[in-house]
Structures are given as structure tokens and as C-alpha cells.
Amino acid sequence: MALFDPPGQSETGPDQEVGPALRDRFGRRFSYLRLSLTERCNFRCTYCLPNGFIAQKGLPPELTRDEIGRAVGAFSKLGLWKVRLTGGEPTVRSDFTDIARDIAGQPDIRRVAMTTNGYRLAREAESWRAAGIDAVNVSIDTLDRARFAQVTGRDMLDQVIAGVDNALDAGFSAVKINSVLLPEIGAPDWDAILGFVAERNVTWRFIELMRTNGNSAEFRSQVHASQAIREKLEGSGWTQRDRGEGAGPATEYVHPDFRGRIGLITPYGEGFCDSCNRLRLSSRGRLHLCLFGEQGYDLRRLLERDDQQEELIETIARALPDKTQGHRLHEGDSGATPHLASIGG
Ligand code: SAM
Ligand code: SF4
């Protein structure tokens, strides 16, 4: 059964004691909402949307700015204080900055983060920071321009790197790079990545490719490279940083000669789901308890009016007992997830 803890008793530290904490039957507490603003994307990453975004007929439209505001309000009343804007590519929405500003202005929201492919970041970093976004994750799978174009379908590496540099100048509290380990790239371009991390205060996070229903053929040829990276780091003076309470899923390494850090996200690793602290809302208003779970719970009918908030809160809390202990990726089961763009990676 889902339980509420009173304020001030969250395991995740005093910074986060903003309200009752929603808890599942495995004792995990939920502080973090991943909000997908759209399934649309202007890139065609080979492992995510290899044919680009193709609109499906008959689906409900994306949540409006007002519906998003109501949803965030309800989740924040349940103790979720951090929101990440994701997608699809969230910044293809013309009202992206307004949505971010609305959410950052909600009384119980402490942190707004975003995940982007970076195509608008060089131009918009300052205005997004001014709108109240605190932290930004940018996806860069390789620093080789030709391979970047091959993987994403867009020859935009230089613009994306300029975006990272502008984000660092704009004063975000954290700038992280998401870098999926891919067979077509082979071993990471190690020297280029080390040079990038030496000069910049970023965390470069290698992510094991996760199997989805859309990339299972490609996935079969995948060899997990994270263990090799771990050995490389540990053999060359990098040390593992202590994981603070409420830390994200990455194991992080630091080195005295580098301004930045290197992280590893290993969803196939043991205990990966034990510290799960997040819930997801799709761009069409479905609550997802796991990235690789069920079809989702439709919340949309409860987002129409402000006076539905109580029922909305009860509906979210009632869904929580269905959250499973972990994903079943090891068994080749990706749940109902066609690709990560569909519910927000
Ligand atoms: N479009 C934005 C972007 O690419 O950053 C946000 C959405 S994207 C789905 C979020 C993150 O999920 C990206 O860093 C992407 O590389 C990662 N991702 C997508 N599919 C993945 C998969 N099958 N396995 C691991 N990571 C994946
Ligand atoms: Fe688009 Fe992000 Fe998926 Fe790449 S990973 S296709 S940028 S949603």
C-alpha cells in the first residue's frame, strides 16, 4: 500500500523536506517527476527513433500548458519536488520556455531540470536559465562529427557543443552529458572525451543501451562496454565518488586533473531499481510507474479543471501499489515501451 510520510522525515536529506513523501510497498520514496512534453523529435537516433518521429493517428493531443500545470501541482502535493522536462525532444514545443517558467514558479517545486538533444541550447541557454531551469542534460553519443551525424541523422555536433558551453556560462547548477554506449560507435572516443571533461565542469555519463521494443534487433548485437570503462577509469587515477542520499542512478568518478566528472549508468547492473525515486507522466497524460512497465494510467480526464485536484492526487496515490520492484530487461522484457521517446527517457 502507498503511504505518506510526514514532512521532515524524508531519507533524501533536509533539502528535500518539502511535504509528505509518497512511498511504495518496497519503501521507496518518490521525489522526482519525469515529465514528457512531447513524443516529437527532430533527430533520428538509431536506437530511439531510427525513422524519425512518425505521428500516429487517433492518439489524444499533447497535454496543454494548463493541464501540465495542474499535473505538476498534484504531484508536488504528494511530495515530488523535482521535475525533469523531457520527451521526445521537449524543446520542439513552442511553449517550452513558458511551461518551464510555470513549473519553476509552483510553490512546492524546488528544482526544474531538462534533457535535450541540444539543438536549440546555444541560442536559448540563457533564457531557459532565466525561466527557472536549474540543470540540463545534453545527449552526445560521440565527439566524432561524422559518427554523430550518422547516429542522430543531424550534422549538428558543433552546435550542440556550443550549447553545452553556453549552458556552462549561463550558470546552471549542473550540466551533464548523456552518452549511450553503441555498437556502431564501438569503443568510446576516449581521448576526445577526456579532453572535453578536462576543460569543462560537466559530468559525462556513459549509459548502457537499454532494450526497447523498437531497438531489439540492434540490441542483440550489443556488447555492454561499461565494465571496460570502469576498469579504464580505475586503472588511471579516477576514484569513485561517494553516493549521497537521493543521488541519481549514475556511479560517478573524479580525478584531480579534471574539472569534470565521468559517470556510468548501468540499468542492467544489480540493484539498479532499488533506489528508484521517480514517476513519469507521458505527454498525453498517462502516469507510468516504470520506464519499462505497463501501459500507464490515464490521468487526463482529471486535468481539465482546478477543482479536480483532490481526485487526481488520490488516483496517483492509488496507482502506486502496482509499481513493481524492478524492471525485467534482463529477461528481454521491455514492457510496453516502444522507444524511450514515447514516455520520456
Ligand atoms: N531528446 C532528448 C535527448 O535526446 O536528450 C530527450 C529524450 S531522450 C529519450 C532521453 C535520453 O534517453 C537521451 O540521453 C537518450 O540518449 C537516451 N536514450 C534513448 N533511448 C535509449 C536507450 N534505448 N537506451 C539508453 N538510453 C537511451
Ligand atoms: Fe530524439 Fe532524444 Fe530519441 Fe535522439 S534520443 S531520437 S534526440 S528523443
Side-chain angles (χ1 to χ4, degrees), residues 47 86-89 115-117 139 178 180 208-210 215 340 345:
Y47 50 89
T86 183
E89 174 51 40
T115 302
T116 177
N117 61 27
S139 299
N178 287 350
V180 179
E208 283 179 354
L209 178 68
M210 291 177 258
N215 72 12
L340 265 54

Side-chain angles (χ1 to χ4, degrees), residues 12 38 40 55 58 80 93 106 133 153 156-157 166 170 172 177 194 201-202 220 254 260 286 304 306 315 344:
T12 47
T38 180
R40 290 175 286 138
L80 282 80
R93 272 188 77 140
Q106 292 219 16
I133 297 178
M156 293 191 75
L157 178 63
N166 285 4
F172 289 95
I177 311 298
L194 288 182
N201 182 18
V202 297
R220 269 184 223 118
V254 290
R286 296 189 86 84
E304 285 167 13
D306 293 341
T315 303

